[in-house]
Amino acid sequence: MAPPEGPRAPLEFGGPLGAAALLLLLPATMFHLLLAARSGPARLLGPPASLPGLEALWSPRALLLWLAWLGLQAALYLLPARKVAEGQELKDKSRLRYPINGFQALVLTALLVGLGVSAGLPLGALPEMLLPLAFVATLTAFIFSLFLYMKAQVAPVSALAPGGISGNPIYDFFLGRELNPRICFFDFKYFCELRPGLIGWVLINLALLVKEAELRGSPSLAMWLVNGFQLLYVGDALWHEEAILTTMDITHDGFGFMLAFGDIAWVPFTYSLQAQFLLRHPQPLGLPMASAICLINAIGYYIFRGANSQKNTFRKNPSDPRVAGLETISTATGRKLLVSGWWGMVRHPNYLGDLIMALAWSLPCGVSHLLPYFYLLYFTALLVHREARDERQCLQKYGLAWQEYCRRVPYRIVPYIY
Ligand SMILES: NC(=O)C1=CN([C@@H]2O[C@H](COP(=O)(O)OP(=O)(O)OC[C@H]3O[C@@H](n4cnc5c(N)ncnc54)[C@H](OP(=O)(O)O)[C@@H]3O)[C@@H](O)[C@H]2O)C=CC1
Ligand SMILES: CC(C)=CCC[C@@H](C)[C@H]1CC=C2C3=C(CC[C@@]21C)[C@@]1(C)CC[C@H](O)C(C)(C)[C@@H]1CC3
């Protein structure tokens, strides 16, 4: 269907040219990281030691395993949920319904993997398949995004995302045209954002830990820390699954290549980089240093969870006793903005906590290589860019009230620095 006439959202990521470059650059970066982590020098910058041939990338076994994984996660999504939550109000004043059973899917997956391993499933063989698995995940992301792009052609205008209706096919393919593409109750974006990629990330980490135990007799302390921290992060995301319904990915961004590739390929294969690095480059880690790193992760998690929960509680019910005493600014929309508590410290305290955790995930890998710090560098860039996008949207939404908030809380992410 033709997009609506009238003012359009400004183009992001450098417009169609930037989007075309990212279509190639994102998969290329992912493969570079996978190859670098398994090479001796493990260089983040500079060419990989060798380029794999097609025979190293294409494997029918990997394709079958990948499709079985997607099928399993889709089946778990369709199981009865403990709760069905309503999303934010849409342009046509309706609200979509979402099953809240992500944590259940994580637990059931763990049980199934546990059963499989006790029946002889060679989990330690998974690290050898990362390259062909990443390849089929990338292919799936391209094909799936094409399907999403075509599906959006017949979607009603009210179902399109504000950013994905530029009319340029490459840009719209990259950013995503439809806001919440679904077939019946199956919501593709919500499913992809929290299930196959996030749970796949934990499974890859676990397989790397098992492989390390096979190679060296037992997993290293560094590998335990990376696995533990990232399991906590994924478990937390699924436990607080409902909170994703108010993030900009769900409420504002279309579902196109960026999120499809990000969710199902980028997250499992690049977010597991520290564990991949540790398998080939073991790092000594003493108890005092490990304790200090645990403390850093705990501080990051405390800020991340505290800030996210405070905002979610406030948005759900401003008179909840946990947030009722906080200072607020009224806005013309009828919604209020918090100006004390976590949201009075900086304008994105949740990003600050997330970044502190990202540092704690890299520190167990030592300081001899830059490669394991890739996540911290990429994530800083992602959150700075995301923060700028969110500020633009909030200024548009709240006008003078947002300017007043910025005056009262002048720092964006890091107090007194940024
Ligand atoms: N690991 C990863 O790869 C990634 C993790 N994340 C994490 O996801 C989480 C969610 O992030 P994201 O969706 O970007 O954004 P936020 O959760 O920070 O949400 C931003 C929205 O919060 C509301 N808000 C802003 N300021 C206030 C205030 N003072 N009082 C009340 N409401 C306010 C506004 O929406 P409104 O007023 O409409 O409610 C604003 O649009 C973060 O913890 C982030 O770190 C994000 C991206 C990637
Ligand atoms: C470079 C590239 C491919 C960009 C795509 C970005 C995506 C990888 C991220 C956009 C927002 C995300 C969120 C999470 C994972 C990464 C992506 C998909 C998230 C699910 C991680 C767990 C958190 O607790 C969260 C639920 C808050 C978070 C939501 C946003």
Side-chain angles (χ1 to χ4, degrees):
M1 218 165 253
E5 291 301 322
R8 288 181 176 167
L11 299 188
E12 316 228 22
F13 303 102
L17 263 184
L22 284 171
L23 278 174
L24 299 177
L25 206 63
L26 289 173
T29 306
M30 184 180 79
F31 284 106
H32 170 69
L33 295 172
L34 281 164
L35 290 170
R38 60 171 57 197
S39 71
R43 271 196 300 262
L44 173 59
L45 305 169
S50 62
L51 283 178
L54 191 63
E55 68 290 347
L57 291 176
W58 173 249
S59 142
R61 232 174 97 216
L63 177 65
L64 274 183
L65 189 64
W66 177 247
L67 293 178
W69 176 250
L70 293 182
L72 169 69
Q73 292 308 320
L76 295 176
Y77 176 93
L78 293 171
L79 284 182
R82 70 182 152 98
K83 182 177 172 189
V84 174
E86 284 202 329
Q88 302 282 96
E89 195 177 88
L90 300 173
K91 269 190 231 153
D92 64 2
K93 305 284 170 213
S94 67
R95 283 176 193 269
L96 295 171
R97 291 159 61 77
Y98 299 86
I100 303 296
N101 60 5
F103 196 77
Q104 174 184 314
L106 176 68
V107 173
L108 288 175
T109 307
L111 283 175
L112 287 174
V113 171
L115 276 177
V117 169
S118 54
L121 187 88
L123 192 56
L126 194 64
E128 284 313 314
M129 295 182 71
L130 286 188
L131 219 47
L133 280 171
F135 186 67
V136 291
T138 306
L139 276 185
T140 320
F142 270 104
I143 297 169
F144 183 44
S145 311
L146 207 58
F147 159 77
L148 291 170
Y149 182 79
M150 290 188 314
K151 183 178 176 314
Q153 302 298 323
V154 291
V157 167
S158 61
L160 300 182
I165 50 173
S166 72
N168 180 291
I170 295 182
Y171 182 82
D172 292 350
F173 171 83
F174 179 76
L175 225 67
R177 279 173 64 79
E178 200 175 342
L179 187 60
N180 303 295
R182 311 185 134 205
I183 293 183
C184 301
F185 189 51
F186 198 96
D187 189 297
F188 293 117
K189 185 164 54 166
Y190 177 68
F191 168 72
C192 288
E193 185 108 352
L194 286 171
R195 314 295 177 97
L198 274 195
I199 303 179
W201 170 19
V202 169
L203 185 64
I204 292 174
N205 274 352
L206 179 66
L208 290 157
L209 181 142
V210 168
K211 181 73 185 171
E212 198 188 35
E214 285 172 9
L215 287 178
R216 304 199 182 96
S218 65
S220 61
L221 182 53
M223 184 67 97
W224 276 118
L225 288 194
V226 167
N227 263 261
F229 294 161
Q230 298 184 349
L231 175 64
L232 170 73
Y233 190 68
V234 171
D236 174 273
L238 294 168
W239 185 259
H240 296 97
E241 189 178 17
E242 203 175 333
I244 196 127
L245 299 178
T246 54
T247 62
M248 73 166 88
D249 308 70
I250 301 289
T251 60
H252 182 271
D253 293 345
F255 195 31
F257 181 81
M258 183 181 78
L259 274 183
F261 174 77
D263 290 342
I264 65 175
W266 182 263
V267 166
F269 298 104
T270 65
Y271 284 27
S272 59
L273 189 66
Q274 288 100 351
Q276 291 176 41
F277 170 83
L278 285 173
L279 180 66
R280 264 90 185 189
H281 308 84
Q283 300 291 320
L285 184 64
L287 268 184
M289 188 57 184
S291 313
I293 297 174
C294 286
L295 183 66
I296 296 177
N297 194 64
I299 294 172
Y301 180 71
Y302 179 69
I303 301 176
F304 166 82
R305 181 53 26 232
N308 276 328
S309 291
Q310 193 168 71
K311 176 165 68 71
N312 287 333
T313 308
F314 181 72
R315 278 287 171 250
K316 268 207 260 172
N317 175 17
S319 5
D320 186 303
R322 285 169 293 176
V323 291
L326 295 174
E327 222 183 311
T328 59
I329 301 180
S330 300
T331 75
T333 64
R335 292 183 127 197
K336 291 185 172 173
L337 291 168
L338 289 166
V339 267
S340 66
W342 287 115
W343 298 80
M345 184 172 84
V346 283
R347 300 205 291 275
H348 273 96
N350 47 355
Y351 289 4
L352 175 65
D354 225 337
L355 283 169
I356 295 174
M357 281 191 284
L359 173 67
W361 300 352
S362 301
L363 286 174
C365 303
V367 288
S368 56
H369 291 76
L370 187 58
L371 187 72
Y373 291 81
F374 170 78
Y375 178 73
L376 181 62
L377 299 174
Y378 138 82
F379 198 42
T380 304
L382 180 112
L383 289 184
V384 165
H385 178 250
R386 202 171 162 95
E387 192 275 339
R389 287 179 79 202
D390 190 52
E391 292 262 324
R392 260 201 316 273
Q393 285 164 26
C394 285
L395 183 61
Q396 213 172 29
K397 214 167 15 177
Y398 299 125
L400 284 177
W402 186 258
Q403 285 173 347
E404 167 67 5
Y405 178 48
C406 295
R407 197 189 56 75
R408 298 212 14 206
V409 183
Y411 291 98
R412 296 160 192 263
I413 301 178
V414 188
Y416 304 106
I417 296 181
Y418 179 72

